């Protein structure tokens, strides 16, 4: 994925991660006509004033692209970012809330490494996803969210 940007400062974001008040959200998209998968993610303070976000097109041949792969890609990108900041964050007993509307992908975050099978679809993304999240210096609180709530033609709350 090729996109990575942040707010001018992330000092409060690092503290929010340590405090367990930061929110990490990921979403994937799949375009069936072109068979392209993409994902985006953000890690933010509760007030959304400091953040890091990333995303882009997912690697892999067109026939391997699907919505599940896109969701996995967003969670993987988020894990790469958090891992790269591990020395800045330090160990913490507080969990970072990680939200995603792809329940199957979200459920892969905390599985045990030894349960991963090379025959699984998207094994190439699941393996590093499980490795990164299992070696995180702080726990995760997984939160499944309903996607496409904007399509319900009612105000979001």
């Amino acid at each position: 994925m090729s996109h990575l940007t942040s707010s001018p400062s992330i000092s409060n974001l690092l503290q929010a991660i340590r405090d367990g008040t930061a929110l990490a959200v990921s979403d994937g998209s799949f375009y069936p006509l072109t068979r392209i998968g993409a994902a985006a993610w953000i890690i933010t303070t509760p007030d959304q004033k400091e953040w890091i976000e990333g995303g882009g097109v997912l690697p892999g041949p067109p026939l391997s692209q699907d919505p599940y792969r896109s969701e996995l890609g967003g969670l993987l990108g988020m894990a790469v970012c958090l891992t790269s900041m591990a020395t800045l964050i330090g160990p913490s007993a507080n969990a970072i809330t990680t939200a995603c509307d792809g329940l199957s992908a979200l459920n892969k975050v905390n599985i045990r490494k030894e349960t991963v099978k090379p025959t699984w679809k998207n094994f190439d993304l699941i393996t590093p996803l499980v490795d990164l999240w299992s070696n995180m210096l702080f726990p995760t609180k997984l939160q499944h969210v309903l996607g496409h709530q904007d399509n319900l033609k009612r105000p979001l709350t």
Side-chain angles (χ1 to χ4, degrees):
M1 290 188 272
S2 60
H3 173 75
L4 182 65
T5 189
S6 73
S7 56
S9 170
I10 61 164
S11 58
N12 291 329
L13 175 60
L14 295 172
Q15 190 59 50
I17 294 170
R18 286 183 212 107
D19 295 343
T21 60
L23 180 63
V25 181
S26 172
D27 196 17
S29 295
F30 172 65
Y31 306 93
L33 293 177
T34 56
R35 303 226 38 99
I36 293 174
W41 54 266
I42 187 167
I43 306 165
T44 184
T45 55
D47 62 9
Q48 300 179 3
K49 290 183 178 177
E50 291 190 15
W51 45 266
I52 298 174
E53 65 181 13
V57 175
L58 293 178
L63 291 179
S64 72
Q65 303 297 329
D66 59 23
Y68 175 60
R69 183 176 183 83
S70 297
E71 299 291 351
L72 288 169
L75 290 166
L76 179 56
M78 186 187 307
V80 168
C81 179
L82 288 167
T83 300
S84 71
M85 297 188 309
T87 56
L88 298 172
I89 299 167
S92 174
N94 297 313
I96 184 167
T97 299
T98 305
C100 178
D101 67 351
L103 184 57
S104 296
L106 192 63
N107 285 336
K108 293 293 186 272
V109 169
N110 285 334
I111 64 171
R112 292 185 351 260
K113 288 190 240 187
E114 57 272 11
T115 64
V116 177
K117 306 278 186 256
T119 55
W120 286 359
K121 186 172 178 149
N122 300 305
F123 171 77
D124 62 315
L125 295 183
I126 294 171
T127 301
L129 175 79
V130 171
D131 282 342
L132 291 171
W133 282 104
S134 66
N135 292 320
M136 207 70 67
L137 297 177
F138 42 85
T140 58
K141 177 183 170 192
L142 303 179
Q143 179 67 50
H144 177 245
V145 294
L146 298 177
H148 305 281
Q149 295 299 295
D150 55 330
N151 292 343
L152 297 177
K153 307 222 186 301
R154 61 182 164 99
L156 297 176
T157 57

